[in-house]
């Protein structure tokens, strides 16, 4: 009998719950709110059978485009052939986590706004652009003694003795 | 074979998954809790209030709570041990007291939200099923009953508290099936019986019965009632007065907090890291001094 390519084929381990994490779902998953435009990670929770996305979307990150009573509409990129399509799926909240991909950006935004406001108050012109790491600065090597190493001439007699 | 006991092997412990803490304590039913707390996502941050009623051996707790990720936030609470302020000194965990506590909580919540003028609820407590009518300006305050781990049988005190809150003016979805006095065969609520329970009629009947048949038992069972001077006939009057007092002033009174007593310490106080280090240095110094300076190594124990 052939293997079959059903909806949940090959998901034995993918949809399994973690070791010693079976059973109840903790309540923060239900208490979180999602707004349109947020980024979310799709991570399937095998304990909840309704509103499960297809296994392809497990581990993908997308934007929220719709919010319904118990589910969230997420827009995920999928490569089909030679192009990438923006696919819109609906997923129940148990299979969704807020993504941290924008977190660093948002914090930097806040900090930069703060720095710019301070600079404006002082009248200083600053650049808040991120700079790539440059070459390391030069330094002196401490505690180095000079040892001159010269090659010794090849001694046939000594070397042969070892291998005899 | 006796000395070889069956033990829980190491692998048993390694694979054991503990339940949630409150489930281990037996205090929270998570299946019910999830369904009570879950808010429609397209209502975003609108809080979903639940009307929590819990009974201890000597007290009744009624609270209106909304859930957040940081923890549950209590909007208002009422306890049966506050009822003495309103004139009820005995019988603080019976059906009638539950009704009073529910009523007190409902009036508190409405007063807090400035809705108590609009939603008077059912001022005269008949036993009938009463639901709040929406007034013109604001919709009634909605909460969902959370019984916890109670067995919801007909005539349970928790439904007395529910009735108190309903008559106080809260909008709690319910059915009359579990009120005291519901007739399963006739499938109808006998309002008279329910009213009797709300005013402690069942307690009064028992008191009368004991006074006639077993006076000593009456003395032992209702000793507090006798001390407070509560007669079976006057129970209904008493509860009516309590209801009126609650409606007049539902605000909680904060009692004066006494400074806590200093207790004698029975176990040693834990030392801080610095204190422990210091002790070690002193001990080593003492050791060195006792050895009499024999050590060749200049082990410097005094710094660090």
């Amino acid at each position: 009998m052939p293997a079959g390519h059903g909806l949940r084929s090959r998901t034995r381990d993918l949809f399994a719950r973690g070791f010693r994490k079976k059973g109840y779902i903790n309540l923060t998953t239900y208490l979180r709110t999602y707004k349109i435009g947020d980024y979310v990670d799709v991570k399937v929770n095998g304990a909840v059978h309704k509103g499960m996305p297809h296994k392809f979307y497990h581990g993908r990150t997308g934007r929220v485009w719709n919010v319904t009573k118990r589910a969230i509409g997420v827009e995920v990129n999928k490569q089909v052939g030679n192009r990438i399509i923006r696919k819109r799926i609906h997923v129940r909240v148990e299979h969704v986590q807020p993504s941290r991909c924008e977190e660093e950006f948002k914090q930097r935004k806040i900090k930069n706004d703060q720095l710019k406001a301070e600079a404006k108050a002082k009248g200083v012109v600053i650049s808040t652009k991120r700079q790539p790491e440059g070459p390391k600065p030069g330094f002196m090597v401490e505690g180095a003694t000079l040892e001159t190493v010269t090659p010794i001439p090849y001694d046939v007699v000594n070397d042969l003795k070892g291998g005899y | 074979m006796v000395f070889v006991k069956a033990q829980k092997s190491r692998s048993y412990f390694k694979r054991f998954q503990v339940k949630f803490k409150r489930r281990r304590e037996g205090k929270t039913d998570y299946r019910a809790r999830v369904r009570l707390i879950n808010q429609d996502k397209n209502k975003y941050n609108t809080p979903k209030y639940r009307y929590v009623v819990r009974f201890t051996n000597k007290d009744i707790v009624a609270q209106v709570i909304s859930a957040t990720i940081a923890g549950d936030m209590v909007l208002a609470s009422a306890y049966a041990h506050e009822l003495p302020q309103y004139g009820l000194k005995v019988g603080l965990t019976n059906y009638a007291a539950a009704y009073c506590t529910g009523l007190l909580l409902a009036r508190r919540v409405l007063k807090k939200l400035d809705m108590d003028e609009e939603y008077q609820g059912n001022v005269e407590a008949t036993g009938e099923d009463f639901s709040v009518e929406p007034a013109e300006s604001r919709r009634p305050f909605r909460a969902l009953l959370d019984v916890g781990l109670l067995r919801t049988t007909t005539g349970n005190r928790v439904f007395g508290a529910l009735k108190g809150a309903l008559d106080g003016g809260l909008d709690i979805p319910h059915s009359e099936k579990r009120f005291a006095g519901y007739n399963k065969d006739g499938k109808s609520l006998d309002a008279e019986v329910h009213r009797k329970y709300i005013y402690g009629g069942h307690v009064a009947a028992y008191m009368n019965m004991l006074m006639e048949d077993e006076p000593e038992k009456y003395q032992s069972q209702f000793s507090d009632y006798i001390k407070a001077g509560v007669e079976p006939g006057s129970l209904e009057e008493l509860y009516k007065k309590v209801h009126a007092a609650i409606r007049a002033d539902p605000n909680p009174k904060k009692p004066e907090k006494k400074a806590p007593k200093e207790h004698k310490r029975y176990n040693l106080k834990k030392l801080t890291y610095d204190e422990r280090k210091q002790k070690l240095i002193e001990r080593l110094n003492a050791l060195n001094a006792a050895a009499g300076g024999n050590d060749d190594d200049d082990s410097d124990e005094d710094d660090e």
Side-chain angles (χ1 to χ4, degrees):
Chain A
M1 261 203 68
H5 305 290
L7 190 64
R8 286 180 62 167
S9 75
R10 305 173 190 155
T11 58
R12 176 180 184 172
D13 291 324
L14 188 64
F15 286 178
R17 300 277 268 142
F19 178 59
R20 289 195 304 187
K21 292 204 167 53
K22 294 200 184 21
Y24 312 99
I25 303 179
N26 49 335
L27 297 207
T28 31
T29 19
Y30 295 101
L31 288 174
R32 287 221 164 85
T33 57
Y34 299 95
K35 302 242 250 314
I36 295 183
D38 286 350
Y39 280 91
V40 291
D41 301 332
V42 173
K43 186 172 167 210
V44 171
N45 187 325
V48 178
H49 302 145
K50 289 194 165 175
M52 249 196 207
H54 185 257
K55 66 174 185 288
F56 168 80
Y57 299 103
H58 180 93
R60 309 279 158 180
T61 307
R63 269 185 59 251
V64 177
W65 63 277
N66 185 18
V67 175
T68 66
K69 228 168 73 140
R70 298 265 182 260
I72 309 242
V74 186
E75 215 174 34
V76 178
N77 287 339
K78 180 175 186 181
Q79 178 173 11
V80 181
N82 61 342
R83 66 203 191 284
I84 297 187
I85 304 183
R86 281 212 313 252
K87 301 210 64 158
R88 298 185 149 197
I89 54 173
H90 279 97
V91 182
R92 268 203 175 211
V93 294
E94 293 93 331
H95 310 291
V96 150
Q97 286 171 352
S99 180
R100 292 183 61 184
C101 57
E102 286 230 293
E103 182 181 309
E104 191 247 338
F105 170 62
K106 283 191 193 135
Q107 283 181 339
R108 201 158 48 85
K109 239 187 357 180
I110 297 173
K111 207 172 66 132
N112 285 349
D113 287 342
Q114 215 183 21
L115 288 175
K116 280 192 214 160
E118 284 174 14
K120 195 157 183 205
K122 285 196 238 158
V124 180
V125 174
I126 54 162
S127 159
T128 51
K129 285 185 194 269
R130 292 174 294 177
Q131 293 292 342
E133 263 187 53
K136 285 194 285 204
F139 59 97
M140 293 292 287
V141 176
E142 303 276 322
T145 53
L146 284 181
E147 180 189 332
T148 313
V149 176
T150 52
I152 42 174
Y154 181 63
D155 198 347
V156 182
V157 182
N158 269 341
D159 292 335
L160 271 181
K161 273 212 190 123
Y164 239 6
Chain B
M1 285 298 275
V2 184
F3 52 89
V4 174
K5 282 208 295 213
Q7 308 173 59
K8 291 182 191 150
S9 61
R10 188 168 147 72
S11 65
Y12 167 82
F13 287 114
K14 287 184 109 173
R15 298 198 61 83
F16 187 78
Q17 179 187 342
V18 287
K19 299 188 171 34
F20 284 169
K21 185 168 94 146
R22 287 216 111 209
R23 168 64 188 88
R24 276 178 275 143
E25 293 172 3
K27 289 185 184 170
T28 306
D29 172 10
Y30 277 97
R31 184 170 191 277
R33 186 174 155 83
V34 168
R35 284 154 177 76
L36 278 170
I37 285 179
N38 206 353
Q39 174 70 290
D40 297 350
K41 289 296 153 240
N42 44 9
K43 294 187 185 159
Y44 298 101
N45 275 324
T46 320
K48 200 166 193 179
Y49 294 104
R50 49 194 185 103
Y51 170 48
V52 169
V53 183
R54 300 280 187 271
F55 290 89
T56 69
N57 279 340
K58 294 188 195 166
D59 200 358
I60 308 178
V61 181
Q63 297 168 312
V64 168
I65 303 183
S66 70
T68 60
I69 295 185
D72 284 0
M73 302 289 170
V74 177
L75 182 64
S77 68
Y79 297 85
H81 63 67
E82 295 177 19
L83 291 178
Q85 291 166 12
Y86 297 93
L88 181 66
K89 305 222 191 317
V90 282
L92 291 179
T93 55
N94 59 25
Y95 198 97
Y99 181 90
C100 295
T101 315
L103 179 63
L104 179 58
L105 175 72
R107 295 315 295 169
R108 264 192 201 157
V109 165
L110 291 177
K111 184 132 195 191
K112 199 165 189 170
L113 300 170
D114 280 329
M115 290 207 287
D116 55 347
E117 306 296 321
E118 294 170 54
Y119 291 105
Q120 292 286 347
N122 200 2
V123 185
E124 175 68 34
T126 62
E128 289 173 357
D129 192 13
F130 170 81
S131 301
V132 194
E133 320 269 302
E136 293 92 43
S137 50
R138 289 164 76 168
R139 293 203 321 268
F141 182 84
R142 197 185 183 89
L144 305 171
L145 180 65
D146 179 349
V147 291
L149 294 159
L150 277 186
R151 188 77 184 87
T152 50
T153 49
T154 317
N156 197 323
R157 295 173 291 173
V158 69
F159 299 110
L162 173 64
K163 188 80 177 92
L166 289 171
D167 286 353
L170 297 186
D171 177 17
I172 304 177
H174 64 283
S175 110
E176 57 183 22
K177 199 163 82 147
R178 291 294 175 200
F179 287 139
Y182 181 76
N183 196 336
K184 229 176 42 168
D185 301 323
K187 286 213 188 1
S188 66
L189 174 66
D190 190 346
E192 269 308 303
V193 175
H194 197 201
R195 188 184 175 288
K196 211 166 67 106
Y197 270 78
I198 292 176
Y199 285 113
H202 56 306
V203 180
Y206 188 50
M207 282 168 91
N208 281 325
M209 192 191 82
L210 278 189
M211 275 203 295
E212 285 177 26
D213 298 341
E214 294 172 67
E216 295 112 42
K217 194 158 178 212
Y218 174 70
Q219 296 291 332
S220 73
Q221 281 278 60
F222 290 102
S223 58
D224 279 344
Y225 280 68
I226 298 171
K227 236 197 313 205
V230 174
E231 312 264 299
S234 62
L235 264 183
E236 182 164 331
E237 286 286 312
L238 178 64
Y239 284 117
K240 277 214 177 89
K241 272 207 258 188
V242 175
H243 295 165
I246 289 177
R247 277 181 187 274
D249 178 24
N251 290 328
K253 292 179 196 40
K254 260 188 165 299
E256 295 266 322
K257 264 213 171 135
K258 297 188 297 223
K261 233 172 40 166
E262 281 289 316
H263 287 286
K264 179 175 135 188
R265 219 195 148 79
Y266 289 102
N267 50 358
L268 295 175
K269 192 156 176 204
K270 264 181 143 175
L271 300 176
T272 66
Y273 180 71
D274 295 320
E275 284 173 1
R276 275 183 272 142
K277 261 284 167 82
Q278 194 57 36
K279 275 184 90 169
L280 179 64
I281 294 172
E282 283 166 15
R283 260 179 47 206
L284 286 167
N285 280 344
L287 255 177
N288 282 344
N294 269 356
D295 23 43
D296 302 336
D297 307 306
D298 205 12
S299 22
D300 227 352
E301 312 287 16
D302 284 292
D303 46 296
E304 296 164 59

